[in-house]
mmCIF file of all heavy atoms in Angstrom:
data_model
loop_
_atom_site.group_PDB
_atom_site.id
_atom_site.type_symbol
_atom_site.label_atom_id
_atom_site.label_comp_id
_atom_site.label_asym_id
_atom_site.label_seq_id
_atom_site.Cartn_x
_atom_site.Cartn_y
_atom_site.Cartn_z
ATOM 1 N N ALA Q 919 103.976 105.896 141.207
ATOM 2 C CA ALA Q 919 105.061 105.340 141.991
ATOM 3 C C ALA Q 919 104.540 104.513 143.157
ATOM 4 O O ALA Q 919 105.064 103.433 143.460
ATOM 5 C CB ALA Q 919 105.974 106.470 142.508
ATOM 6 N N ALA Q 920 103.466 105.030 143.837
ATOM 7 C CA ALA Q 920 102.906 104.286 144.940
ATOM 8 C C ALA Q 920 102.290 102.963 144.486
ATOM 9 O O ALA Q 920 102.351 101.963 145.200
ATOM 10 C CB ALA Q 920 101.841 105.141 145.649
ATOM 11 N N SER Q 921 101.697 102.955 143.305
ATOM 12 C CA SER Q 921 101.125 101.714 142.768
ATOM 13 C C SER Q 921 102.202 100.752 142.309
ATOM 14 O O SER Q 921 102.036 99.526 142.382
ATOM 15 C CB SER Q 921 100.171 102.042 141.614
ATOM 16 O OG SER Q 921 99.160 102.937 142.028
ATOM 17 N N LYS Q 922 103.272 101.309 141.818
ATOM 18 C CA LYS Q 922 104.342 100.473 141.231
ATOM 19 C C LYS Q 922 105.181 99.771 142.291
ATOM 20 O O LYS Q 922 105.898 98.822 141.983
ATOM 21 C CB LYS Q 922 105.232 101.359 140.362
ATOM 22 C CG LYS Q 922 106.211 100.600 139.493
ATOM 23 C CD LYS Q 922 106.992 101.570 138.636
ATOM 24 C CE LYS Q 922 108.014 100.835 137.786
ATOM 25 N NZ LYS Q 922 108.822 101.770 136.976
ATOM 26 N N VAL Q 923 105.117 100.223 143.571
ATOM 27 C CA VAL Q 923 105.969 99.672 144.606
ATOM 28 C C VAL Q 923 105.738 98.179 144.772
ATOM 29 O O VAL Q 923 106.685 97.393 144.861
ATOM 30 C CB VAL Q 923 105.736 100.414 145.947
ATOM 31 C CG1 VAL Q 923 106.399 99.668 147.101
ATOM 32 C CG2 VAL Q 923 106.272 101.832 145.858
ATOM 33 N N LYS Q 924 104.471 97.739 144.805
ATOM 34 C CA LYS Q 924 104.163 96.337 145.053
ATOM 35 C C LYS Q 924 103.637 95.614 143.833
ATOM 36 O O LYS Q 924 103.179 94.469 143.944
ATOM 37 C CB LYS Q 924 103.171 96.212 146.207
ATOM 38 C CG LYS Q 924 103.742 96.615 147.556
ATOM 39 C CD LYS Q 924 102.785 96.314 148.667
ATOM 40 C CE LYS Q 924 103.450 96.602 150.027
ATOM 41 N NZ LYS Q 924 104.563 95.691 150.249
ATOM 42 N N ALA Q 925 103.646 96.247 142.674
ATOM 43 C CA ALA Q 925 103.123 95.610 141.470
ATOM 44 C C ALA Q 925 104.162 94.701 140.852
ATOM 45 O O ALA Q 925 105.373 94.893 141.018
ATOM 46 C CB ALA Q 925 102.676 96.681 140.476
ATOM 47 N N ASN Q 926 103.689 93.689 140.132
ATOM 48 C CA ASN Q 926 104.563 92.816 139.390
ATOM 49 C C ASN Q 926 105.027 93.535 138.121
ATOM 50 O O ASN Q 926 104.225 94.138 137.399
ATOM 51 C CB ASN Q 926 103.822 91.521 139.034
ATOM 52 C CG ASN Q 926 104.755 90.499 138.405
ATOM 53 O OD1 ASN Q 926 105.936 90.749 138.276
ATOM 54 N ND2 ASN Q 926 104.205 89.356 138.034
ATOM 55 N N LYS Q 927 106.366 93.481 137.896
ATOM 56 C CA LYS Q 927 106.882 94.242 136.763
ATOM 57 C C LYS Q 927 106.388 93.728 135.416
ATOM 58 O O LYS Q 927 106.490 94.438 134.417
ATOM 59 C CB LYS Q 927 108.417 94.247 136.804
ATOM 60 C CG LYS Q 927 109.049 92.871 136.677
ATOM 61 C CD LYS Q 927 110.551 92.998 136.731
ATOM 62 C CE LYS Q 927 111.206 91.616 136.586
ATOM 63 N NZ LYS Q 927 112.682 91.731 136.621
ATOM 64 N N HIS Q 928 105.893 92.495 135.364
ATOM 65 C CA HIS Q 928 105.355 91.939 134.113
ATOM 66 C C HIS Q 928 103.830 92.087 134.026
ATOM 67 O O HIS Q 928 103.210 91.506 133.127
ATOM 68 C CB HIS Q 928 105.742 90.471 134.004
ATOM 69 C CG HIS Q 928 107.219 90.248 134.019
ATOM 70 N ND1 HIS Q 928 108.050 90.699 133.019
ATOM 71 C CD2 HIS Q 928 108.024 89.623 134.929
ATOM 72 C CE1 HIS Q 928 109.302 90.357 133.289
ATOM 73 N NE2 HIS Q 928 109.311 89.707 134.466
ATOM 74 N N SER Q 929 103.218 92.818 134.936
ATOM 75 C CA SER Q 929 101.759 92.954 134.939
ATOM 76 C C SER Q 929 101.289 93.815 133.762
ATOM 77 O O SER Q 929 101.862 94.886 133.498
ATOM 78 C CB SER Q 929 101.313 93.571 136.260
ATOM 79 O OG SER Q 929 99.936 93.841 136.235
ATOM 80 N N PRO Q 930 100.248 93.409 133.032
ATOM 81 C CA PRO Q 930 99.724 94.245 131.930
ATOM 82 C C PRO Q 930 99.094 95.533 132.467
ATOM 83 O O PRO Q 930 99.123 96.562 131.801
ATOM 84 C CB PRO Q 930 98.697 93.346 131.237
ATOM 85 C CG PRO Q 930 98.320 92.334 132.285
ATOM 86 C CD PRO Q 930 99.526 92.113 133.124
ATOM 87 N N HIS Q 931 98.480 95.470 133.657
ATOM 88 C CA HIS Q 931 97.922 96.697 134.228
ATOM 89 C C HIS Q 931 99.004 97.731 134.509
ATOM 90 O O HIS Q 931 98.777 98.927 134.351
ATOM 91 C CB HIS Q 931 97.168 96.356 135.519
ATOM 92 C CG HIS Q 931 95.913 95.558 135.305
ATOM 93 N ND1 HIS Q 931 94.768 96.088 134.743
ATOM 94 C CD2 HIS Q 931 95.647 94.233 135.545
ATOM 95 C CE1 HIS Q 931 93.831 95.152 134.686
ATOM 96 N NE2 HIS Q 931 94.328 93.999 135.159
#
Side-chain angles (χ1 to χ4, degrees):
S921 303
K922 191 177 178 182
V923 168
K924 292 187 174 295
N926 188 1
K927 63 180 180 179
H928 301 295
S929 173
H931 291 288

